[in-house]
Amino acid sequence: MKEDLEAGKHDKIVTRFPPEPNGYLHIGHAKSIVINFGLADDFNGLTNLRFDDTNPLKEDQEYVDAIKEDVKWLGYDWDELRFASDYFEVMYEKAVLLIKKGKAYVDDLTAEQIREYRGTLTEPGKESPYRNRSVEENLELFERMRNGEFANGEKVLRAKIDMSSPNINLRDPVIYRISHATHHNTGDKWCIYPMYAFAHPLEDAIEDVTHSLCTVEFEDQRPFYDWVIAECETESKPRQIEFGRLNVENAVTSKRKLKQLVDEKFVDGWDDPRMPTISGLRRRGFTPEAIREFVKATGVSKGSGVVDSAMVEHFVREDLKLKAPRTMGILRPLKVVITNYPEDQVEMLDAENNPENEEMGVRQIPFSREIYIEQDDFMEDPPKKYFRLFPGNEVRLKHAYFIKCEDVIKDENGNVVEIHCTYDPETKSGTGFTGRKVKGTLHWVDAKHAVPAEFRLYEPLILDNEEEAADGEEKTFLDNINPNSLEIVQGFVEPNMKDVKPQEKFQFFRHGYFNVDPKYTTPEKPVFNLIVSLKSSFKL
Ligand code: ATP
Ligand code: MG
């Protein structure tokens, strides 16, 4: 881009992000968005959002709306909003131009025959018997194709290039096909539609895109891209440059597969928090900043490696560390009665909202005779080095007092239902007590004032990206669905969490970062999605 600017090829860089509206955007698209919008910004250029809607069968307004929302949410604003389908007339004229130049012909071969005639990497292709139709005949047939006189698949328009080219993409590729289908934008106006490889360079040229940035699988298409630009005699001469796809471990990045997960109800929608879609990541609690920083850190190269999912999580923690208030939540409650605490007393304790960001201030949380702790934080018969609560052991309650386990109450089946403790008023947090030390610090919520809450804990939806079984037996990605991808637990949060708003984010002490789910949260009960746990093994 820099070279092209310096060579005086362009006054201004223009890029485009060109999704097909046949599904929601995913984390892979975020890379294309960051690259297209980001590079144009670097050069003070422009970026269009262009819907590449040349396939009437799979496209839908729902997807158009969702894509616009997601691009905006990621923090980008397009200069122009374009639809490839608005250019159908120009594309048709360009096809007619090719026919007139003897560079395109109508072919009657079936799709199957065209494939057979195409040849292989080691063998040249064979010319179609219809290849040498006259310009007049081709013009007439192509017009009749447009007029709807033929059935789907009966005829196609092909570029006339070279059936023995070492690049198979240049062996007379199909540029128009018949499809009697209603298009989401043009309705029933057309029954012939341009093929992607022909349409895309024209779209770029029409929009004066200077650099058409796309993923590496289009590298072999570049000669045809250049052929279209040259033979169609477009005024503007866009240049295609490829970059490596972004693949993230355990994340399906194919709209087709994601749609299957939605259609077959493996998830509760495109925005299910387990989905690697932008809307899923948003509902899960990822922030645009974290996604952008992550994508930038993966770099731009020709290689398409698989990125460790710990890397994405690292950027979320980094972003939320100073932004998300700390709070306490109990996921699997166990009641603790503090037997020496006065029956009707409630005291308000100071709790810092974020020790790493003092500006976030201090809140007050109630403390009284009965509290909840995590079931995990008590063991009747603990192994060595267990520093939490067990009979006779003393621990610190975060923001409150030391408590000591005195008694364990069980039901008739021997299950622990309640713990009886005593507290030491001398040990109150913030008073500078140094009398003795304890090794464990537990989080808790006051039982009388606690707000019931639901926690949704996630594991990857698909366990690996391998689609082939070890013995070579065919498997699909659905065989790798993780049966434990969602665990729902019912617990409690602090009383000041009663009125949390959808998409608010918190760090639950000792648990991780959580987002208030916009779909399931009700005025009575907040629902929290686990974004990421606190621990990370990731090193940049
Ligand atoms: P899918 O196979 O999921 O439908 P696609 O590439 O067909 O993906 P498009 O809507 O055509 O989806 O994509 C819009 C742009 O996003 C394209 O330029 C495409 O190259 C880019 N893109 C898609 N997936 C990735 C990815 N994993 N990494 C980087 N860029 C991507
Ligand atoms: Mg596509």
Side-chain angles (χ1 to χ4, degrees):
M1 284 175 156
K2 210 167 149 223
E3 281 166 17
D4 286 350
L5 277 178
E6 281 165 5
K9 281 198 202 168
H10 317 285
D11 307 329
K12 211 176 194 46
I13 294 289
V14 181
T15 63
R16 86 288 171 262
F17 172 60
E20 183 181 357
N22 61 348
Y24 283 56
L25 298 180
H26 52 62
I27 183 86
H29 291 113
K31 176 147 196 171
S32 179
I33 293 171
V34 168
I35 289 178
N36 278 294
F37 283 90
L39 282 174
D41 273 354
D42 290 348
F43 293 105
N44 242 322
L46 305 171
T47 305
N48 291 348
L49 171 60
R50 177 206 307 150
F51 287 100
D52 212 325
D53 56 350
T54 53
N55 181 358
L57 291 179
K58 296 188 198 151
E59 297 159 0
D60 201 279
Q61 186 62 36
E62 176 194 351
Y63 302 135
V64 170
D65 296 339
I67 289 170
K68 282 157 73 175
E69 183 185 355
D70 288 349
V71 172
K72 279 199 186 140
W73 179 77
L74 278 173
Y76 296 100
D77 220 344
W78 49 87
D79 291 285
E80 293 193 42
L81 180 66
R82 300 293 194 111
F83 289 85
S85 55
D86 287 340
Y87 313 145
F88 281 162
E89 194 64 51
V90 185
M91 292 173 184
Y92 179 81
E93 282 162 21
K94 290 298 182 189
V96 169
L97 174 68
L98 290 180
I99 295 174
K100 286 183 178 161
K101 292 170 73 176
K103 300 282 181 177
Y105 61 97
V106 173
D107 198 353
D108 296 2
L109 292 184
T110 63
E112 178 68 24
Q113 288 169 319
I114 289 177
R115 230 184 334 270
E116 271 169 36
Y117 277 54
R118 191 161 44 211
T120 64
L121 283 173
T122 52
E123 278 169 62
K126 217 165 63 177
E127 293 188 356
S128 162
Y130 304 98
R131 194 174 198 261
N132 294 312
R133 277 177 162 149
S134 69
V135 169
E136 290 68 35
E137 191 185 358
N138 281 320
L139 283 174
E140 188 209 319
L141 286 172
F142 189 48
E143 196 178 332
R144 290 175 59 196
M145 279 169 67
R146 176 184 184 161
N147 292 340
E149 292 183 34
F150 306 110
N152 290 354
E154 214 179 313
K155 288 190 166 35
V156 292
L157 185 71
R158 298 177 71 175
K160 193 171 181 177
I161 311 180
D162 179 4
M163 287 307 292
S164 55
S165 170
N167 183 339
I168 293 184
N169 297 302
L170 293 180
R171 293 182 189 172
D172 292 7
V174 173
I175 60 178
Y176 260 92
R177 67 191 189 290
I178 299 171
S179 177
H180 291 273
T182 303
H183 187 279
H184 80 104
N185 186 22
T186 55
D188 293 320
K189 181 163 184 223
W190 294 90
C191 62
I192 56 170
Y193 291 94
M195 301 299 285
Y196 178 86
F198 175 64
H200 205 86
L202 292 177
E203 294 160 19
D204 289 337
I206 291 166
E207 294 176 18
D208 289 326
V209 164
T210 56
H211 297 81
S212 182
L213 310 173
C214 64
T215 36
V216 279
E217 67 272 20
F218 294 102
E219 198 164 13
D220 293 342
Q221 286 284 1
R222 193 176 348 127
F224 183 60
Y225 184 101
D226 293 339
W227 185 92
V228 172
I229 293 301
E231 294 298 344
C232 290
E233 301 170 21
T234 59
E235 224 168 280
S236 172
K237 307 283 180 206
R239 173 180 175 189
Q240 173 179 313
I241 302 177
E242 308 85 19
F243 61 87
R245 284 182 85 85
L246 169 63
N247 299 303
V248 183
E249 178 200 18
N250 290 328
V252 174
T253 45
S254 146
K255 281 182 278 184
R256 183 181 57 77
K257 290 179 184 170
L258 294 171
K259 184 167 189 312
Q260 201 178 343
L261 290 169
V262 175
D263 290 345
E264 296 178 24
K265 304 221 165 9
F266 288 102
V267 292
D268 75 6
W270 284 94
D271 67 348
D272 187 291
R274 292 165 291 178
M275 293 280 272
T277 50
I278 302 299
S279 53
L281 294 168
R282 172 165 65 235
R283 193 172 142 207
R284 176 82 172 254
F286 282 62
T287 58
E289 292 83 354
I291 296 174
R292 289 200 305 262
E293 289 312 309
F294 160 68
V295 166
K296 285 178 192 160
T298 63
V300 182
S301 72
K302 293 269 182 193
S304 300
V306 178
V307 178
D308 194 335
S309 54
M311 182 170 170
V312 196
E313 297 178 356
H314 164 82
F315 285 96
V316 187
R317 287 191 196 92
E318 280 301 298
D319 185 44
L320 292 179
K321 197 166 64 183
L322 301 181
K323 289 187 195 165
R326 313 286 168 95
T327 184
M328 295 194 287
I330 299 296
L331 273 57
R332 296 173 184 84
L334 172 62
K335 187 172 267 186
V336 172
V337 180
I338 300 159
T339 51
N340 61 340
Y341 196 87
E343 220 56 64
D344 294 320
Q345 184 171 318
V346 180
E347 66 186 298
M348 297 305 285
L349 302 171
D350 284 344
E352 258 179 314
N353 283 329
N354 190 337
E356 290 182 69
N357 182 1
E358 272 182 31
E359 282 174 21
M360 295 185 75
V362 173
R363 69 187 181 285
Q364 299 240 297
I365 51 175
F367 181 79
S368 66
R369 196 167 192 266
E370 293 188 359
I371 61 170
Y372 293 116
I373 64 167
E374 296 289 345
Q375 288 168 14
D376 268 3
D377 282 339
F378 171 80
M379 274 182 106
E380 193 170 12
D381 212 357
K384 257 193 209 151
K385 297 208 172 161
Y386 184 88
F387 301 124
R388 300 176 243 173
L389 209 55
F390 55 88
N393 192 42
E394 190 173 44
V395 297
R396 176 199 311 272
L397 292 178
K398 180 79 176 167
H399 305 304
Y401 299 95
F402 289 8
I403 57 169
K404 186 172 177 186
C405 177
E406 309 282 359
D407 204 2
V408 182
I409 315 298
K410 297 180 187 174
D411 63 14
E412 61 269 28
N413 302 319
N415 299 317
V416 176
V417 291
E418 209 171 273
I419 307 295
H420 286 184
C421 292
T422 51
Y423 88 116
D424 178 354
E426 297 286 297
T427 61
K428 185 171 176 176
S429 173
T431 58
F433 174 79
T434 51
R436 62 188 180 280
K437 287 200 167 125
V438 289
K439 280 197 166 147
T441 299
L442 310 188
H443 61 281
W444 54 277
V445 294
D446 185 76
K448 204 188 293 170
H449 304 89
V451 173
E454 178 172 303
F455 297 89
R456 297 179 152 243
L457 312 174
Y458 302 103
E459 279 184 22
L461 183 59
I462 310 282
L463 277 173
D464 59 49
N465 296 316
E466 296 300 314
E467 289 185 29
E468 195 99 25
D471 57 4
E473 194 185 301
E474 273 297 306
K475 268 177 62 168
T476 79
F477 77 108
L478 295 177
D479 292 312
N480 292 329
I481 288 219
N482 177 2
N484 305 316
S485 63
L486 168 63
E487 186 188 359
I488 301 179
V489 297
Q490 306 295 335
F492 294 100
V493 293
E494 296 178 13
N496 49 41
M497 299 286 277
K498 199 170 81 60
D499 298 316
V500 290
K501 300 277 175 302
Q503 295 296 124
E504 274 190 274
K505 291 155 190 68
F506 297 92
Q507 188 200 102
F508 283 103
F509 184 62
R510 295 172 73 219
H511 281 302
Y513 292 99
F514 284 78
N515 184 46
V516 179
D517 187 88
K519 188 161 178 174
Y520 298 123
T521 294
T522 64
E524 291 72 44
K525 190 193 252 188
V527 175
F528 295 95
N529 292 321
L530 174 64
I531 312 170
V532 279
S533 63
L534 293 176
K535 285 185 207 75
S536 169
S537 52
F538 181 75
K539 295 270 179 310
L540 251 194

